Amino acid sequence: MIDEMDLLKGLGNAEPPRPRAYEEARSVLRAAMAVEGTPEAAPAPRPRWSRRRAVGLGAAALVAAAAAGVLVVTSTSAPGKPPVKAAAANPVLAELAAGISPLRAKAPGNATLEIRNQSPTSAELGRNGIGLYTDDGTYYWGNDKRALRRAVVRKDGGDDLFKRDIAAALYAVKGDLGEARARMAVANIAPGTNPDPDRARIEKLKAIAKARGEKYVPPKPPTAAQQKEITDNHIWTNAVDALIAAPENTQVRAGVLRIMASMPKVRVTKTTTAGQPTLTLADGWPTAGGSAEELVIDAGTGRPIAMTSSGSGVRPSTIYYHTSRVTLADIEAGRF
């Protein structure tokens, strides 16, 4: 079955769409798959083309939730509400965060170049393209180096997608942990841009019901337990975004680890990856079609190494992160 990355190969030297355009296209694709009853070729929670993905559930999961009589929405605790009380810290992650916190956050260059592929040892450019995260939070992507250079030269970036994720992680280093979790839970939402997420989901369910020739039945709102699961999913998702966007920033890593350590459902296992000691952090969300993710980090530094995504009826998919520090000047000049 063709997927969005196969379509991207046909772009050649054409200008790549912005990351948000990918998300919108992916949502349409999911809706079509749900209507047609076609299984997705990749796990819904984490698109493969950019780090930022729409937090929450795709159309297929919405259909499942509707069938169960429950509406699962993407809204979480809003800014200004009392912060969520943090749980007891996971000792492994808490110790690693404490060891990283005193380190300087400075790194060479002013941006991080990222190649994602299916190899733990080779940084060869593959079907996942190449991304660039600037230190000010702007994201660029291209399906090859030439496309990435063009995006940087034209300032065709991702609208500062990761600034709020990074800010929440930095606050978490020394700030109140409950407040840090509350900030991270809504870090994906730009102020004033998502006033009524419930309505969009309801309209999507209505469209799916109409396409199937079925009567639309309003689903029930989520229970308190389901809402907590949704919020935890947002915290995990946005925290991982911050870690991937700023892997060389020790303070961001410390803040993310401190938040992850406060999440009781996150399981931590000591592992080995390509001969190096690692930690595997795992979390799952039954409401989201049984979706789950495993994040592998360096056991000594907390740098991200790999991510495995899985879900009901989908084969697990693993990608490895290969990063290096660069300057925007070098990217613009094609020296990378």
Side-chain angles (χ1 to χ4, degrees), residues 284-311:
W285 309 276
T287 301
S291 64
E293 292 187 340
E294 292 185 354
L295 173 68
V296 180
I297 62 174
D298 185 286
T301 66
R303 287 186 178 88
I305 292 177
M307 171 70 76
T308 297
S309 300
S310 60

Side-chain angles (χ1 to χ4, degrees), residues 79-86 168 171 175-185:
K81 287 191 176 182
V84 180
K85 183 178 180 181
Y171 173 83
D176 177 81
L177 196 48
E179 173 64 21
R181 285 166 51 89
R183 293 186 184 189
M184 190 63 81

Side-chain angles (χ1 to χ4, degrees), residues 88-98 260-262 268 270 279:
N90 178 288
V92 177
L93 297 183
E95 182 179 357
L96 180 55
M260 291 290 196
S262 73
V268 181
K270 294 183 179 180
L279 296 174

Side-chain angles (χ1 to χ4, degrees), residues 20 40 44 60 76 84 86 94 104 138 159 262 269 286 327 334:
R20 282 181 180 170
E40 294 197 48
T76 70
V84 180
R104 295 177 62 223
T138 305
D159 303 322
S262 73
T269 307
T327 66

Side-chain angles (χ1 to χ4, degrees), residues 57-192:
L57 309 183
L62 281 168
V63 174
V70 177
L71 173 61
V72 182
V73 298
T74 57
S75 58
T76 70
S77 53
K81 287 191 176 182
V84 180
K85 183 178 180 181
N90 178 288
V92 177
L93 297 183
E95 182 179 357
L96 180 55
I100 294 174
S101 296
L103 302 179
R104 295 177 62 223
K106 295 291 184 181
N110 56 14
T112 298
L113 190 70
E114 179 201 73
I115 293 175
R116 282 181 283 162
N117 58 27
Q118 283 67 49
S119 171
T121 56
S122 171
E124 181 179 357
L125 186 62
R127 69 197 301 263
N128 294 92
I130 183 169
L132 183 74
Y133 301 88
T134 69
D135 289 349
D136 69 359
T138 305
Y139 176 67
Y140 298 94
W141 182 88
N143 55 334
D144 56 28
K145 290 185 176 181
R146 183 161 51 179
L148 177 63
R149 176 178 177 272
R150 180 170 54 246
V152 173
V153 169
R154 296 179 181 178
K155 307 301 180 188
D156 188 16
D159 303 322
D160 304 335
L161 288 173
F162 302 99
K163 280 188 175 180
R164 291 178 299 278
D165 300 330
I166 292 172
L170 292 174
Y171 173 83
V173 179
K174 296 182 179 179
D176 177 81
L177 196 48
E179 173 64 21
R181 285 166 51 89
R183 293 186 184 189
M184 190 63 81
V186 295
N188 60 295
I189 303 174

